[in-house]
C-alpha cells in the first residue's frame, strides 16, 4: 500500500489574505502563488472565490 500524506490545514491570516489580493491584482499565475504560499491551487482558488476576487489568468 502507498503511504498516505498527512493533511495539514493552516488558518488564513490577515497577512495571507492581503498577499492573495496583491497577487490577484498583479495577475500572478496560480501555480506560482501556490509554491510561494505552500498552499494547493484548489485552496487558493476557493479562498479567492469566498473573498470575491479573481485569481490568476482570466480571459
Amino acid at each position: 500500500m502507498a503511504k498516505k500524506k498527512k493533511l495539514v490545514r493552516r488558518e488564513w491570516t490577515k497577512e495571507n489574505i492581503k498577499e492573495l489580493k496583491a497577487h490577484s491584482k498583479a495577475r500572478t499565475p496560480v501555480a506560482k502563488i501556490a509554491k510561494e504560499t505552500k498552499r494547493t491551487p484548489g485552496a487558493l482558488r476557493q479562498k479567492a472565490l469566498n473573498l470575491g476576487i479573481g485569481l490568476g489568468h482570466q480571459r
Side-chain angles (χ1 to χ4, degrees):
M1 270 207 162
K3 219 177 198 184
K4 205 169 187 185
K5 208 172 189 184
K6 184 157 170 45
L7 183 67
V8 179
R9 291 185 185 216
R10 290 183 294 129
E11 292 293 316
W12 284 88
T13 64
K14 286 183 180 179
E15 192 60 41
N16 293 149
I17 293 169
K18 194 184 280 186
E19 195 178 330
L20 188 64
K21 285 181 179 180
H23 281 299
S24 173
K25 211 170 241 186
R27 303 251 192 226
T28 311
V30 178
K32 189 174 180 183
I33 304 170
K35 274 187 183 174
E36 271 184 35
T37 58
K38 293 185 179 137
R39 294 182 188 268
T40 63
L44 294 169
R45 288 185 191 283
Q46 194 63 46
K47 189 62 177 180
L49 184 71
N50 288 345
L51 293 172
I53 58 176
L55 199 61
H57 157 88
Q58 287 96 13
R59 290 188 184 182

